[in-house]
Amino acid sequence: MEIGTRSGWESASGTAAQAEPVEPAPGPDRTGPDRTGRGPERALLEPTLAAIRETGAALLLRGDPGMGKTSLLDWAEDRAARAGLRVLRMAGAEAESDLPFAALHQVLWPLLDTGHTLPDGAQGPLERALGLREGALPAVTEVADAALALLARAAADRPLVLLLDGLQWADPASAAVFRSVAERAAGLPLVVIGATRHEGTYASCPAGRAIDLEPLDDTRAARLLRVLHPHLADWARRRVLRAAGGNPLALRELPAALERAAPDRLAVLADPESAELLGELPLGERLGRLYEDRLRALPQEARRVLLLAALGGPAAPTPPGTPSPWRAIEDSGLARLDPATGRVRFRHPLVRAGLVHIASSAQRRAAHRRLADTLPPHDPRRIAHLAAAAIGPDDGLAALLYAEAEAMGDRGAEAEAASVMARAAGLTADVERRAARLVAAAEMAARGGRLRFADRLLAEAATEAAPRTPEPAALYALVVAYVRLHRACDSVPAVERLPAILDAVAAASGEPAAPGDAARRAALVEPALFVLLLVAVHTGDERARAALDRHAAGGSPLAALCHQAWADPPRTARDVPARLRAAAAELGDDAHPLADRLLLWTAMAVDTVGEHDALWNRLAHGGTYVTQAFIDLARTHDGFLHGRWDEALVRARRGTAASAAHGYGFNEMMFLLHEAQVLAGRGDTAGLEAIGRTLSPWATEHRVRLVTGRLLGLKALCALGHGRVGEAWHHVRSLTPPGVLPPDVPWIQLTLLDFAQAAVESGHRDDARAHLSAVRAAGVAEVSPHHAFLVAAAEALAAPDDTAEEHYTAAYAVPGAGDWPFELARLHLAHGACLRRRSRRREAAARLAAAHTVFERLRATPWAGQAARELAAAGGAGPEPERPGTPARGIRHPLSAQELRIAELAAQGLTNREIGARLRLSPRTVGAHLYKIFPKLGITTRGGMAQALREAGPREPA
């Protein structure tokens, strides 16, 4: 067989790091996201593997530890196996680097059963090299020829891929054989892919096709971190991205190291370059070893100088008469001295972290003390260094850290401030004061979305001594109530402790107080009311309700308004939307996030969340999990109501996973409930039952009546979609008897259509009318436009056929009826069926066709089936329009006059800014209108706007 002689390791044009981040062509082994961050490098490997049957090749991956070399080899192995290629693999081991031909043995061992087919001149040297035959070791050239012959015979039967990992540790004899094979691979169906570090003889060989794995750029690093850890909190994400420096292994492992970090780790109290090392970001065992050997090989003085720089200091001067360590440092390639700035530039951030990792605790403390001595007394960096150097209690330093933590919390950095406050507690001598500071740290951690950290701090505070003075004790009770509620839906701490706190604050409100005491007590009231409100709404606990009734007026007007909205919505929320709009308009851009959350939660009670874009915009800038989870919960529910079901489902599932990752069990269950809404609307019985098997036992155990009640309503909705009216009637009657509106069933309005339809279709029309009479008497229709539409639509469904027309007309006339597409489609379906029964087939067909279109768009398959069957019974076609583009009589155009003008301009290709200039609106207002226009027209992009407007026809004059 002719052996090719083309040079192995051909030169590549540029490095992979400079390539555009384009993923390789789709293939069966790339069904999920890239979990290595090396998409461009895969694209360079792909053609070589694909062309193996036409030509062989050799490539070399070069990069620092953790840069993804092994991950690329893993990918290549998987790719080759899927393509039917045979893979031989070697993993270099430092312990075997002195054993001749040890690495070659790994590669050729699977082929040795065919070695007898080699000529005697090749078989003997190969067997002596691999220890299978007695005798002196043969020359490397003899072994290389024999190895190539063996590989050639195997590749003739099935193309071969050789994956050589850790070539820097391959023994010299094996390395020479591999190099020889690579140089002659071109004439064979053989691909050789090696991986090595930048240092070492193999990396510096005359070039083969080398792919240099540089650190990921910021964009690719952020994308990879989001794929690997999609629910990492923003504060942790920022720390990991800075510390990892684009190293894929670090991006994978640092988040877990952060989670395991001790509670008293310091956070950012220094300049950005040294922030991570002042916090002594913990490295796992693998990350700690990446640069360990090279660092330990440095002289002791060099490591001391680099440790000071790693901890944030400038380049330390060399003492007179002492040899400079910089020659050894720069020769190592780990760091260099920047003459322009006098600062040390490390090869990679993990070199800095590795220095801290291998230093003893005494060495680290000495370095921190030395750096602290070089800084001004009140410099935050000095405080951080002193805290890191401290061993025992130091009340003066603890006070400085306490003040710094409070300042960080005031700036909105609660997550980071919690760590600083925890360190302040660790340095505090007095037991009671230490416990109070642990509680303060827990409160910051809870506000910053670090619920598990808060729980650990509370447990530590309890072991010290539960705070006994009034204010720390009250804060401790509040944080315990919040953490227990959100972690495990344990409402007991809230109902047992918070009413007493509110009673005490109310009793002390008229008494003289020291400066600041009144403000601190008042700061407890709002969050305590909010927690109690959560408990009262979700569980219906009478103790929580009574405490709210006593103290809601003593909080802010926003808290009082929220209490009014949720106290007994059918009876107490009638003027809430108007007051809510006024309160939102008065709220400044610098409002506290709790104020925005109170207003939006109020809006959720009255189904007006979509009206408050300014609140969304302010909250969207909040970086904590708490804020983002609240936004997602509200938007998920709003998306369900407004027919954005795909969006709602994505948000719900993302929120469930994020809540589980952050330890927020309560939010996890709420997101599951919102997912269940979409599944019920789509008639997904199996999916709804699966969620119910998780939610029902949890809600029953923790007495979360909102969830148990809503699940009953959703089961009724799902049953109605499939025509199981008896089952639906059973569920709605279990939720509330006819004519009764219990105060502890929030969102009662969402079951009105279900109640009316289930009652009528199961032969209980009188019960439906009695129930709706009670609804009217309670004033439910006066709460909001959505409430008004639902009441009117339910009354139309409950009316006898001969008097129903006026009720349907009244329901269509409710302002904003088109904003609720699913419920409007159900109304069209019921109306169309009623018209068909009265032989008004043409009108019936128009209504049924409109319903079918919406159900299809929402993928509410059972409902679409009902509409299709009714449409077929009505003749299968709608009426001929009076003129082209004219909607059927009685069907309202889906857009308002203002929305129609905006939609027409958008259909012409104008931008939001151009539309705003023409109509004298802000671009943000235009965007808000388009946000509502898309679901009304059943489209998701501007590209479908023109066609949707043609199908909707002109808007009739008011």
Side-chain angles (χ1 to χ4, degrees), residues 33-233:
D34 176 16
R35 300 182 66 82
T36 66
R38 292 300 180 186
E41 290 80 359
R42 288 182 181 182
L44 295 177
L45 295 175
E46 175 81 21
T48 301
L49 292 171
I52 189 172
R53 289 178 171 85
E54 289 74 38
T55 179
L59 302 96
L60 182 65
L61 307 176
R62 294 188 304 209
D64 277 2
M67 284 297 170
K69 301 183 295 296
T70 299
S71 295
L72 278 172
L73 294 182
D74 291 341
W75 173 85
E77 181 174 11
D78 179 73
R79 187 75 180 89
R82 289 172 182 267
L85 312 178
R86 186 172 186 178
V87 177
L88 302 176
R89 188 160 181 173
M90 181 276 292
E94 188 176 11
E96 297 180 352
S97 59
D98 294 330
L99 300 177
F101 300 111
L104 182 65
H105 192 281
Q106 290 187 52
V107 173
L108 297 185
W109 182 259
L111 304 180
L112 291 181
D113 58 348
T114 62
H116 63 278
T117 62
L118 295 176
D120 289 339
Q123 184 176 351
L126 187 61
E127 290 183 347
R128 292 201 307 275
L130 300 182
L132 301 177
R133 181 183 296 188
E134 295 292 334
L137 286 177
V140 169
T141 54
E142 291 183 285
V143 179
D145 290 341
L148 187 63
L150 184 63
L151 291 169
R153 285 181 180 272
D157 296 331
R158 185 177 169 193
L160 280 178
V161 178
L162 267 60
L163 303 178
L164 311 176
D165 198 2
L167 279 171
Q168 72 275 5
W169 286 321
D171 58 277
S174 295
V177 173
F178 294 147
R179 187 178 293 109
S180 176
V181 170
E183 289 171 353
R184 295 183 283 177
L188 300 172
L190 171 67
V191 167
V192 184
I193 304 177
T196 186
R197 294 183 179 178
H198 281 300
E199 71 276 5
T201 57
Y202 211 96
S204 60
C205 68
R209 189 175 177 188
I211 300 176
D212 288 316
L213 303 185
E214 303 294 342
L216 303 179
D217 60 34
D218 292 346
T219 301
R220 290 169 67 192
R223 184 165 59 238
L224 176 59
L225 183 60
R226 197 163 294 280
V227 168
L228 295 174
H229 302 280
H231 310 302
L232 193 64

Side-chain angles (χ1 to χ4, degrees), residues 899-915:
E899 289 172 339
L900 183 59
R901 288 196 296 272
I902 291 172
E904 289 170 342
L905 294 174
Q908 297 171 24
L910 274 65
T911 66
N912 288 9
R913 187 173 297 280
E914 292 167 340
I915 296 171

Side-chain angles (χ1 to χ4, degrees), residues 325-383:
W326 282 103
R327 177 67 179 271
I329 292 172
E330 295 190 355
D331 286 348
S332 73
L334 295 171
R336 63 180 179 84
L337 185 61
D338 187 340
T341 63
R343 298 191 69 87
V344 177
R345 300 298 180 191
F346 289 93
R347 179 189 185 107
H348 189 274
L350 288 175
V351 176
R352 305 173 64 161
L355 283 159
V356 179
H357 181 73
I358 67 172
S360 68
S361 57
Q363 289 170 331
R364 290 196 298 269
R365 288 196 301 271
H368 280 297
R369 281 193 297 270
R370 180 168 178 177
L371 291 172
D373 291 341
T374 66
L375 295 167
H378 298 291
D379 191 315
R381 293 173 297 171
R382 180 176 184 273
I383 299 171

Side-chain angles (χ1 to χ4, degrees), residues 484-574:
R484 295 307 303 157
L485 177 65
H486 280 87
R487 285 213 70 179
C489 197
D490 181 3
S491 61
V492 173
V495 297
E496 288 186 350
R497 301 186 183 202
L498 298 189
I501 292 174
L502 294 173
D503 290 341
V505 171
S509 60
E511 300 175 359
D517 283 357
R520 284 191 290 272
R521 292 172 186 170
L524 293 170
V525 171
E526 205 81 345
L529 288 172
F530 191 68
V531 172
L532 280 174
L533 192 58
L534 285 173
V535 171
V537 168
H538 289 88
T539 70
D541 191 283
E542 291 301 329
R543 291 169 294 177
R545 287 180 172 276
L548 286 167
D549 290 341
R550 290 197 308 273
H551 297 293
S556 70
L558 301 184
L561 182 63
C562 192
H563 173 241
Q564 179 184 343
W566 286 102
D568 185 1
R571 301 170 182 86
T572 63
R574 269 176 266 184

Side-chain angles (χ1 to χ4, degrees), residues 661-958:
H662 286 83
Y664 279 73
F666 181 81
N667 284 354
E668 183 182 355
M669 296 299 109
M670 291 301 105
F671 276 115
L672 275 177
L673 181 65
H674 287 317
E675 179 183 351
Q677 289 187 137
V678 179
L679 298 183
R682 287 179 168 168
D684 185 348
T685 302
L688 183 61
E689 288 177 351
I691 290 180
R693 285 193 292 272
T694 298
L695 276 180
S696 292
W698 174 85
T700 301
E701 177 186 356
H702 298 289
R703 301 186 298 280
V704 187
R705 283 191 256 176
L706 181 146
V707 171
T708 54
R710 190 73 186 110
L711 277 176
L712 282 173
L714 294 178
K715 289 177 181 178
L717 173 61
C718 189
L720 287 171
H722 289 281
R724 303 193 299 265
V725 295
E727 177 186 334
W729 176 238
H730 169 73
H731 289 317
V732 294
R733 272 191 57 89
S734 300
L735 179 63
T736 175
V740 177
L741 302 181
D744 58 350
V745 183
W747 289 332
I748 189 69
Q749 76 277 9
L750 301 183
T751 66
L752 291 180
L753 276 183
D754 305 328
F755 196 105
Q757 182 179 350
V760 169
E761 294 185 6
S762 64
H764 300 86
R765 188 185 300 271
D766 289 343
D767 285 335
R769 296 172 69 180
H771 193 67
L772 292 172
S773 177
V775 166
R776 275 287 183 192
V780 173
E782 301 169 36
V783 173
S784 76
H786 188 219
H787 288 69
F789 173 70
L790 290 175
V791 172
E795 288 177 337
L797 263 64
D801 285 0
D802 56 352
T803 62
E805 191 64 30
E806 63 183 88
H807 292 285
Y808 282 109
T809 301
Y812 296 136
V814 173
D819 290 342
W820 325 102
F822 178 59
E823 290 145 345
L824 180 60
R826 289 180 64 183
L827 190 66
H828 281 314
L829 174 59
H831 191 191
C834 175
L835 291 170
R836 180 190 60 76
R837 290 192 296 270
R838 300 180 65 197
S839 300
R840 294 166 60 179
R841 295 178 179 274
R842 290 167 59 83
E843 295 171 84
R847 297 291 177 187
L848 295 168
H852 186 267
T853 297
V854 173
F855 290 143
E856 284 286 304
R857 177 177 67 81
L858 296 176
R859 287 191 282 154
T861 305
W863 293 97
Q866 289 188 38
R869 289 189 292 274
E870 286 286 350
L871 189 58
E880 292 293 330
E882 297 175 10
R883 60 180 185 277
T886 302
R889 186 181 62 179
I891 300 181
R892 301 174 68 247
H893 194 283
L895 304 184
S896 67
Q898 178 81 307
E899 289 172 339
L900 183 59
R901 288 196 296 272
I902 291 172
E904 289 170 342
L905 294 174
Q908 297 171 24
L910 274 65
T911 66
N912 288 9
R913 187 173 297 280
E914 292 167 340
I915 296 171
R918 185 169 298 189
L919 299 182
R920 296 186 178 182
L921 300 172
S922 74
R924 180 177 294 175
T925 300
V926 173
H929 279 296
L930 288 170
Y931 179 80
K932 297 177 180 178
I933 288 169
F934 280 22
K936 289 183 180 182
L937 295 179
I939 59 176
T940 57
T941 66
R942 292 185 187 227
M945 187 77 77
Q947 179 63 31
L949 289 175
R950 285 193 293 272
E951 293 174 356
R955 190 175 188 276
E956 295 181 341

